[in-house]
Amino acid sequence: MTSSKTLTVDDLLKMKRNGEKLAMLTCYDATFAAAMDKADVDIVLVGDSLGMVVQGRTTTVGVSVDEVAYHTACVSRGLKRAFLIADMPFGSFHNESTAMENAVELLGAGGSMVKLEGAGPMVDVVDYLTCRGVPVCGHLGLTPQSVNQLGGFKVQARDDESARRLLQDAQALQHAGARLLVVECIPARLGKEVSAALDIPVIGIGAGVECDGQVLVMHDMLGLGERAPKFVADFMPGSASIQAAFEAYVAAVREKRFPTDRHAY
Ligand code: KIV
């Protein structure tokens, strides 16, 4: 779907229904945002990964709402077509009123949706936000804000019981009104199952080619990650420019050439 108008949540849903794969990347400034937009990237995420790739931290914990809001405002100035999501950082959505206040700041900065990690008690937070007009993207599987609790950046939901729990969590988030879901670092067969079970688009990162779309951290797909995880592909070799690398990524996602089995768990 190529058009010059800004994509909406309904457009993303239609693309899933039509079997069109969604290409999503993280972004942190206006110049890269404009290049992604020209390359037809469908969804741009101002991830709290900015804590690692922009600020040089070892985890995403410690990023503030004001910092995500600042980068969201920068990115929004570079976009015309792509749908913009702002990440809610660690500690910014632990109860309903805090989440609402912070989501309002991120939407005010230019985001069209906020993303938050987890299920369980977060399902009520998602319900609270969506009932008050805040579009929400969930995030399950490897949730980097819980890295200290998960004991490191590891593949999640490998056994049947935890896979079943993840699927239930995904359904609960959809029921609570989430309009998009990111699943990170889970077996490819589970990525496929969750995408088939939900009506909303499911975007995978290390979750196999059968998800409704794919997301990567921009620095990783430009080959700048120092120790890139298995699910990352570097799109710079063979691309004459960064713009061309974004175009190559979009084409590979749409044609289901990325991710390959080599990038899957
Ligand atoms: O913060 C981020 O960049 C993310 C993506 C990895 C999905 O959450």
Side-chain angles (χ1 to χ4, degrees):
M1 177 183 292
T2 306
S3 82
S4 54
K5 83 165 189 38
T6 306
L7 293 174
T8 64
V9 172
D10 285 347
D11 291 327
L12 303 178
L13 189 60
K14 263 186 228 150
M15 289 166 81
K16 168 167 177 146
R17 288 191 185 137
N18 293 341
E20 292 172 55
K21 297 287 175 192
L22 296 159
M24 169 166 160
L25 285 174
T26 70
C27 189
Y28 316 93
D29 75 26
T31 304
F32 283 104
M36 287 183 192
D37 209 63
K38 269 197 214 136
D40 242 5
V41 171
D42 302 302
I43 308 171
V44 169
L45 167 68
V46 179
D48 63 354
S49 51
L50 73 85
M52 298 170 81
V53 297
V54 177
Q55 298 173 337
R57 299 175 191 267
T58 52
T59 73
T60 60
V61 177
V63 173
S64 71
V65 175
D66 286 350
E67 287 165 349
V68 178
Y70 169 78
H71 287 278
T72 300
C74 297
V75 168
S76 74
R77 294 182 198 115
L79 297 181
K80 290 194 174 83
R81 172 185 174 273
F83 186 81
L84 178 57
I85 304 179
D87 224 352
M88 302 202 69
F90 182 65
S92 70
F93 54 93
H94 54 277
N95 65 43
E96 279 93 350
S97 57
T98 305
M100 187 69 197
E101 199 177 306
N102 289 322
V104 167
E105 178 173 346
L106 296 176
L107 296 185
S112 294
M113 178 178 271
V114 296
K115 176 169 83 59
L116 57 88
E117 295 184 6
M122 291 311 123
V123 173
D124 287 341
V125 173
V126 171
D127 183 61
Y128 186 92
L129 293 176
T130 58
C131 285
R132 286 159 183 78
V134 177
V136 174
C137 173
H139 185 156
L140 295 175
L142 173 60
T143 45
Q145 291 171 12
S146 310
V147 63
N148 295 323
Q149 204 168 18
L150 296 173
F153 294 97
K154 301 184 212 165
V155 183
Q156 301 296 307
R158 274 195 188 276
D159 61 87
D160 289 351
E161 172 54 24
S162 47
R164 195 184 51 79
R165 225 177 307 124
L166 187 142
L167 181 57
Q168 279 176 355
D169 287 345
Q171 283 163 329
L173 288 170
Q174 173 173 275
H175 187 68
R179 304 293 300 272
L180 211 65
L181 177 68
V182 167
V183 286
E184 178 163 356
C185 263
I186 60 171
R189 64 183 148 68
L190 181 58
K192 179 177 179 176
E193 195 181 346
V194 175
S195 304
L198 296 198
D199 297 325
I200 60 173
V202 176
I203 312 294
I205 172 164
V209 73
E210 297 300 338
C211 292
D212 302 311
Q214 302 294 329
V215 58
L216 283 178
V217 169
M218 177 186 85
H219 295 63
D220 288 343
M221 56 79 66
L222 293 178
L224 295 170
E226 261 182 25
R227 278 181 300 124
K230 170 183 156 106
F231 59 74
V232 167
D234 176 359
F235 286 84
M236 276 311 284
S239 300
S241 64
I242 286 173
Q243 171 77 39
F246 293 153
E247 286 164 11
Y249 170 73
V250 170
V253 169
R254 290 198 179 147
E255 292 159 23
K256 288 177 70 174
R257 288 184 285 102
F258 174 79
T260 65
D261 289 348
R262 199 158 41 88
H263 305 112
Y265 300 102

